[in-house]
């Protein structure tokens, strides 16, 4: 579904990614891990086209999308939930979802119902402005916002970071259900326990390079844990 | 009596200010672009009515409203495509560039229509006025007020109810999130500029009702229009409405009370706005939310 090859990305003169390879087969849940500042968010931004790579390729669904613009990648089925539970703060919850659904030409109206099934708490908040929700509610909205476009792959950047524990559990369940329904997922996650419960495969970044990757089982390895310790 | 009279005059100055400023709530308020050529889009709207006069005769003003919207809107669209989009995030460069464009457009108007002012005849049904117990309110002033109110209602509806308006608000609140939600943000920028500039065209048509049309028509209003948007709080329609009428009324009273009216009124209005912004630099209203506070 997603293949990233030899990706080099910089901010101005500061290079952050040095030839990253990563692949997420159709239907898999790949967990992207690594300490703070190693380049996980940068990698997702290059995959979605928010950042242009200096070199390397991004293939999505059998097609080279390296030069394609962000909104076109989204319309082809690449959903992205950025780090930090972002929303359109002055729009209501309903409008937040509407903007995304209206932008996706093929998305069915019922996609909104499906997303609300996953996060029933949002149903009661539809008329509230997103800026006034709690962080956890905003994160649920952010994920729902990506889902109403009916993506074939979902990129999630630390969806549980700084979120109250009760909602972390709901988010974890939701990710599990999405994975079970066949959605391909690339999840950035710092909690090893959560990654162990959800992932099929993992990739660990360090200083802008892939240092380990493999099956979820290998995450239990001590040497792998050492790469994640702060 | 005198006070009431000044209040009516003030409201009508306010309506003109509001019309001139409404477009800026889009291009400046929403997008943060300081477009000094906005005044020349107003001027283009006014000349549109003048050009239509031989065709539409006495009804040129009415016929010109939609045409001027499109003419000024297209001018804005071209400016955005050709120049402004290359300078997003560089306000000073944008200011200088668009100032240059405004001078070029003024000269262009001089070359096409000549330097002397021209006149657009008001429709017959706008001559005269209503008498309210000795107070006379001309129909053309009422028309401008109605037009301004109509524009405000139309814009509110557009922003709140239409897909395009919702999209526009989304892009202005979080551009990157809009892009990753599938919104073609560049297209939205173009539409925002088209609508904002088109509104300037409407203002220009309205101005033909209260004075002659000349190449520098717009530059007389540009500073006041920016003042209205800044004082109202960037991008806040409600703030712009209140600011425009407050400044209009203030203007008319100061002019009334002081000997050499107009220029002194300008100074007072400036001082009041600057004083106000010292106390409330964010303007009357601001976007408020947990995310921003
Ligand atoms: N906008 C930016 N400009 C310059 N450097 C940045 C920017 N964003 C991130 N960086 C740098 O890039 C590196 C990787 O950041 P990031 O991808 O956010 O890491 P992670 O998501 O793994 O915590 C960090 O050293 C960070 O300081
Ligand atoms: Mg990050």
């Amino acid at each position: 579904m997603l293949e990233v090859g030899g990706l080099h990305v910089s901010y101005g003169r500061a290079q952050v990614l040095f030839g990253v390879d990563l692949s997420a087969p159709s239907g898999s849940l790949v967990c992207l891990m690594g300490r703070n500042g190693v380049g996980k968010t940068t990698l997702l931004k290059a995959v979605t086209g928010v950042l242009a790579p200096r070199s390397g390729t991004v293939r999505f669904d059998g097609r080279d999308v390296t030069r394609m613009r962000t909104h076109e990648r989204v319309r082809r089925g690449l959903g992205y939930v950025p780090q930090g539970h972002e929303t359109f703060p002055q729009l209501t919850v309903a409008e937040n979802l509407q903007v995304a659904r209206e932008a996706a030409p093929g998305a069915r109206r019922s996609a909104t119902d499906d997303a609300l099934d996953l996060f029933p708490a949002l149903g009661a908040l539809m008329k509230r402005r997103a800026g006034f929700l709690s962080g956890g509610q905003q994160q649920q909205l952010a994920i729902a916002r990506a889902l109403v476009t009916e993506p074939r792959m979902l990129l999630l950047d630390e969806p549980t970071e700084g979120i109250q524990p009760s909602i972390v559990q709901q988010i974890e369940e939701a990710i599990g259900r999405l994975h079970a329904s066949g959605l391909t997922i690339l999840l950035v996650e710092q909690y090893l326990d959560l990654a162990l419960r959800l992932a099929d495969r993992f990739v660990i970044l360090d200083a802008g390079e892939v240092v380990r990757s493999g099956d979820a089982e290998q995450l239990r390895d001590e040497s792998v844990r050492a790469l994640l310790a702060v | 009596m005198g006070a009431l009279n000044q209040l009516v005059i003030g409201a009508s100055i306010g309506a003109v200010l509001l019309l001139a400023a409404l477009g800026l709530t889009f291009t400046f308020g929403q997008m943060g672009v300081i477009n000094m050529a906005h005044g020349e889009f107003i001027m283009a709207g006014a000349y549109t009515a003048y050009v239509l006069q031989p065709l539409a005769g006495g009804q040129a003003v009415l016929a010109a409203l939609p045409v001027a919207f499109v003419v000024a809107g297209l001018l804005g669209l071209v400016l955005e495509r050709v120049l402004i989009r290359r300078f997003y995030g560089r306000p000073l460069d944008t200011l200088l560039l668009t100032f240059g464009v405004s001078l070029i457009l003024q000269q262009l108007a001089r070359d096409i229509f000549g330097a002397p002012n021209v006149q657009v005849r008001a429709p017959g049904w706008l001559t005269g006025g209503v008498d309210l117990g000795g107070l006379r309110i001309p129909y053309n002033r009422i028309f401008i007020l109605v037009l301004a109110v109509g524009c405000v209602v139309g814009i509110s509806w557009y922003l709140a109810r239409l897909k395009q308006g919702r999209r526009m608000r989304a892009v202005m609140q979080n551009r990157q999130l809009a892009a990753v939600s599938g919104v073609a943000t560049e297209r939205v920028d173009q539409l925002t500029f088209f609508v904002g500039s088109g509104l300037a065209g409407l203002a220009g048509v309205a101005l033909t009702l209260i004075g002659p049309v000349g190449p520098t028509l717009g530059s007389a209003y540009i500073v006041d229009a920016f003042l209205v948007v800044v004082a109202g709080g960037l991008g806040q329609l409600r703030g712009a409405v209140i600011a425009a009428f407050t400044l209009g009324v203030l203007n008319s009273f100061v002019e009334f009370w002081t000997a050499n009216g107009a220029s002194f009124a300008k100074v007072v209005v400036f001082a009041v706005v600057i004083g106000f912004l010292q106390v409330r630099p964010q303007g009357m209203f601001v976007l408020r939310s947990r995310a921003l506070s």
Side-chain angles (χ1 to χ4, degrees), chain A residues 41 83 157-158:
Chain A
T41 297
Q83 189 168 3
D157 198 347
E158 305 210 30

Side-chain angles (χ1 to χ4, degrees), chain A residues 23-86:
Chain A
S23 80
S26 189
S28 65
L29 194 157
V30 178
C31 200
L32 176 61
M33 307 180 79
R35 301 185 184 100
N36 275 328
V38 297
K40 305 181 295 294
T41 297
T42 305
L43 176 55
L44 293 201
K45 284 185 173 171
V47 168
T48 53
V50 172
L51 289 174
R54 184 175 276 185
S55 64
T57 55
V58 178
R59 293 181 69 80
F60 175 61
D61 209 10
R63 205 190 143 110
D64 189 340
V65 298
T66 315
R67 301 268 159 255
M68 191 184 279
R69 284 190 299 183
T70 300
H71 67 91
E72 280 163 13
R73 299 185 203 201
V74 176
R75 289 177 186 183
R76 284 178 187 279
L78 190 61
Y80 173 40
V81 181
Q83 189 168 3
H85 49 81
E86 285 193 51

